[in-house]
Amino acid sequence: MAVLKTTQTDADVNEFINTFAQTDQRRNDSLELIRIMTSVSGYPPKMWGASIVGFGSYYYKSERSRQEGNWMLIGFSPRKAAISLYVYSGCEGQEDLLADLGKYSMGKACIYIKKLADINPEVLCKLMQSTITFLQSKYS
């Protein structure tokens, strides 16, 4: 079985934000994302690995590989080039939400934004809620 490298830790989230987020804008956006994600998810922020802030968790077993383990429901990382948002699951209706999200780019499983002001916070909340609902029903 493949073991996940990124797991939940006991590291201090605020200390991480204050040292890892390299600009005031990135720090302020990170603190606002913590507020929003806590509100939407109902879970407190926890560090996942050395550089991801996650909220909630679920246990999954991959259908395509032998990988399994715990993973966050939603999360983000204030990386140097962009803020990585882990809020997308590809479930039904999310493509329509992405059309109204604002200015972003997309990786395989995450959304990259330069700053929080570039996106619509209401759409972000809907994306997060749909991902949480989907993951909790799929992996209950």
Side-chain angles (χ1 to χ4, degrees):
M1 163 179 54
V3 177
L4 282 175
K5 293 179 188 175
T6 304
T7 58
Q8 187 175 316
T9 72
D10 291 328
D12 185 273
V13 172
N14 288 320
E15 184 178 318
F16 163 72
I17 295 299
N18 287 326
T19 56
F20 193 78
Q22 297 186 343
T23 65
D24 286 342
Q25 177 72 52
R26 197 62 43 96
R27 270 187 291 284
N28 291 336
D29 285 352
S30 295
L31 294 172
E32 181 64 9
L33 282 167
I34 288 172
R35 188 193 68 72
I36 292 168
M37 290 184 171
T38 300
S39 175
V40 170
S41 72
Y43 294 101
K46 300 284 184 180
M47 288 302 302
W48 286 76
S51 62
I52 300 174
V53 179
F55 300 80
S57 67
Y58 66 98
Y59 187 84
Y60 77 96
K61 207 170 190 174
S62 175
E63 297 164 359
R64 289 177 255 140
S65 71
R66 294 186 349 219
Q67 190 166 325
E68 61 183 277
N70 288 311
W71 194 246
M72 71 196 103
L73 289 169
I74 58 173
F76 75 95
S77 183
R79 303 190 190 280
K80 186 175 183 178
I83 298 172
S84 300
L85 300 173
Y86 303 95
V87 299
Y88 179 78
S89 62
C91 65
E92 187 176 332
Q94 285 194 330
E95 292 300 320
D96 293 335
L97 290 171
L98 287 177
D100 296 326
L101 183 59
K103 188 176 174 183
Y104 71 93
S105 61
M106 191 103 182
K108 266 188 173 180
C110 62
I111 295 169
Y112 302 107
I113 62 171
K114 294 290 184 187
K115 58 187 178 203
L116 198 51
D118 286 343
I119 60 171
N120 182 328
E122 290 176 19
V123 175
L124 176 61
C125 289
K126 289 177 184 177
L127 265 173
M128 289 187 290
Q129 189 58 62
S130 65
T131 289
I132 291 167
T133 300
F134 171 75
L135 293 173
Q136 287 178 330
S137 68
K138 182 174 181 175
Y139 296 103
S140 60

